[in-house]
Amino acid sequence: AQSVTQLDSQVPVFEEAPVELRCNYSSSVSVYLFWYVQYPNQGLQLLLKYLSGSTLVKGINGFEAEFNKSQTSFHLRKPSVHISDTAEYFCAVSDQLSGGSNYKLTFGKGTLLTVNP
Amino acid sequence: DTEVTQTPKHLVMGMTNKKSLKCEQHMGHRAMYWYKQKAKKPPELMFVYSYEKLSINESVPSRFSPECPNSSLLNLHLHALQPEDSALYLCASSQEGDRGTDTQYFGPGTRLTVL
């Protein structure tokens, strides 16, 4: 089974500062990685995904992530955050379910990004 | 359109009640999922439907009963729940269920409180 580890449970930053949210995945032959954001009392929204190809992936709301195979990492970055970026961020890996052909998302524990004025 | 809708938004029920959660998507997706999310935790998979057939049950207690009446609808029937079942229930869908590259699109969730 595949897994992801989010190293920081909380990341406080000031508005307009850069931010990096860290995610490491378990080594595998092929890996499909996703970042989702969850605003308070809402569902999950896809920020970006890495399936193959270019290791630098750009997503919505100015976020980007870099797939690094040698370090088994998929860190999320934004050069300048806004108050509205305050939310929970989940890194996830597509994980094939045993006994079948279906896949599920296995999530990290999440990182709470708090942007302060 | 990448919208998954869920009703109701909030639900409060007693331990002897029977209620249902509803999920709908009109993206032509053939896989649909139920996840349970406790506060400050990541979502946990409960069920997967692929082409309207239940393909995965992640050892969920029988007081939760899923149903997929057609390719656009997914229900979760609730009966004799326990207070520890209080959580945010998320529905998701993806184009297929058997490709690791598929993106799952999530609904806004139903906040369930069991008294």
Side-chain angles (χ1 to χ4, degrees):
Chain A
Q2 306 217 32
S3 64
V4 290
T5 302
Q6 291 183 247
L7 299 170
D8 305 299
S9 60
Q10 296 187 55
V11 173
V13 294
F14 288 108
E15 195 173 17
E16 297 183 7
V19 70
E20 178 179 84
L21 306 183
R22 297 182 292 169
C23 174
N24 287 89
Y25 63 91
S26 57
S27 178
S28 179
V29 175
S30 60
V31 61
Y32 309 115
L33 294 161
F34 303 80
W35 274 101
Y36 284 86
V37 60
Q38 186 173 33
Y39 299 103
N41 299 312
Q42 294 188 28
L44 277 70
Q45 181 181 9
L46 179 71
L47 279 175
L48 50 78
K49 60 186 177 184
Y50 173 78
L51 304 180
S52 65
S54 174
T55 57
L56 183 62
V57 181
K58 293 191 182 295
I60 62 170
N61 302 340
F63 283 93
E64 63 180 34
E66 185 161 14
F67 175 73
N68 189 318
K69 191 172 183 179
S70 62
Q71 297 186 10
T72 61
S73 68
F74 189 55
H75 299 334
L76 182 71
R77 301 185 182 101
K78 186 169 183 177
S80 176
V81 294
H82 304 289
I83 299 284
S84 58
D85 292 320
T86 294
E88 189 84 29
Y89 291 78
F90 290 101
C91 182
V93 63
S94 190
D95 191 12
Q96 188 164 18
L97 291 157
S98 59
S101 58
N102 287 101
Y103 285 79
K104 70 170 183 178
L105 286 175
T106 296
F107 292 89
K109 292 186 176 181
T111 298
L112 178 61
L113 173 65
T114 304
V115 181
N116 298 301
Chain B
D1 182 14
T2 57
E3 188 178 28
V4 176
T5 59
Q6 290 187 245
T7 54
K9 192 174 176 65
H10 300 276
L11 179 63
V12 179
M13 60 186 291
M15 290 190 285
T16 59
N17 293 156
K18 287 185 180 181
K19 297 286 184 183
S20 297
L21 309 184
K22 180 180 173 181
C23 172
E24 194 165 5
Q25 58 88 13
H26 294 288
M27 295 178 277
H29 288 175
R30 305 316 301 264
M32 297 185 77
Y33 310 77
W34 280 114
Y35 287 86
K36 175 183 178 179
Q37 186 181 24
K38 300 285 279 184
K40 310 288 187 187
K41 298 290 186 182
E44 296 179 346
L45 182 68
M46 300 175 71
F47 302 103
V48 180
Y49 271 84
S50 182
Y51 289 85
E52 301 164 47
K53 292 184 178 178
L54 182 65
S55 57
I56 297 294
N57 176 338
E58 290 281 85
S59 303
V60 179
S62 60
R63 57 186 184 269
F64 294 92
S65 176
E67 179 196 19
C68 189
N70 59 57
S71 60
S72 300
L73 281 175
L74 185 65
N75 298 319
L76 186 62
H77 302 298
L78 314 173
H79 174 56
L81 294 193
Q82 303 297 311
E84 59 264 29
D85 296 322
S86 298
L88 182 67
Y89 288 83
L90 293 163
C91 175
S93 70
S94 68
Q95 192 166 357
E96 308 282 343
D98 57 358
R99 298 186 314 201
T101 54
D102 279 355
T103 297
Q104 290 188 27
Y105 296 92
F106 285 81
T110 293
R111 177 76 59 188
L112 174 67
T113 302
V114 182
L115 301 177

